[in-house]
Amino acid sequence: MSLWRLILEDFATVRRNDPALHNGFELFFNYPGVWALFFYRISHALYRRGWRFLPRLISAVGQFLTTVDIHPGAQLGRRIFIDHATGVVIGETAVVGDNVLIYQQVTLGGVSLSSGKRHPTVEEGVVIGAGAKVLGAITIGRDSKIGANSVVIKDVPPGCTAVGVPARVAQRIDGRAPLSHNIMPDVNKQVFEYLLKRIAVLEHTIKTGDLDTMEKKDHELDEIYKNFIEAMKG
C-alpha cells in the first residue's frame, strides 16, 4: 500500500473506532494520535530508504506537537488507533501488528542497550490499556488485552488478558469486542472471595461439628484455589 493510502486509512480508522467523533473538523484538531501516525508514516518511509537525520527531525516535530514519541525505525501495521495519545512511547525495534488499539501513556520500551531487537512485538488485534508498560523483546500474542497500568515483562499468549505489576496472564478472553479493555479480572477480589468462603466453612464446622460437609467444601475450595494459581502462572 502506498504512503498516501496508509495515511488516509489512519484517518479513516479513527472514524470507525471512536463514537465521540462527530465531524471532520474534530478529526483534524482533536486527535493527536492520528497526527502522530501521520508524522511516523513519513519519517518511517524516509528511514527505510537509509535516511537518518531527517526522519528523526520529522519525528521530533511530531513529538513536540502531539506528545507522542514514535521512533522512525519502529514497524507499525495498518489500522492502528492511538486513543487520546498523550505520552505514548514506541521504541526503535518495536513491531506493532494490524488493528491494534493503544491508549494514553503506553510505553513499548526496551530494557537492553544492545543494538539488536530490544522492544516488544505486538501482534494483530491487541488492546493495550492506559498507562501500561510493555518492556523488552517480548511478544504480546494476537487478540490479547493488557490491563491499564500493567507492567509486562514476559510473553503474553494469544487471546489472553494480562494484568498487574509485574503482569500475570490471568484469564482467557471470551469475546473480541475492540473496546472491551474494561473487562479485566479483579485478582484481589478473587482472592478475597476465596478467603471468605474458606472462613465460612471453618465457622460452620466449629458450630455444627459437621466434618463431612467441611471435607466436601474443603475439597471444592482446594480445586478453586488450584485453578486460580494455575491461571496466574506465566
Side-chain angles (χ1 to χ4, degrees), residues 8-10 12 35 45-46 64 72-73 75 83 91 108 112-114 121 129 163 185 187 189 192 209 213 224:
L8 290 178
E9 187 176 54
D10 288 335
W35 286 109
L46 295 172
F64 175 78
Q75 300 178 45
D83 199 8
L108 305 181
S112 171
L113 297 178
S114 66
T121 295
V163 293
V187 177
K189 178 183 177 182
F192 190 63
T213 300
I224 293 174

Side-chain angles (χ1 to χ4, degrees), residues 43-60 71-73 92:
S43 63
H44 180 67
L46 295 172
Y47 193 88
R48 290 182 58 190
R49 288 168 172 77
W51 295 63
R52 289 298 178 265
F53 175 75
L54 184 57
R56 293 306 301 270
L57 178 61
I58 294 171
S59 177
H71 194 285
E92 178 186 14

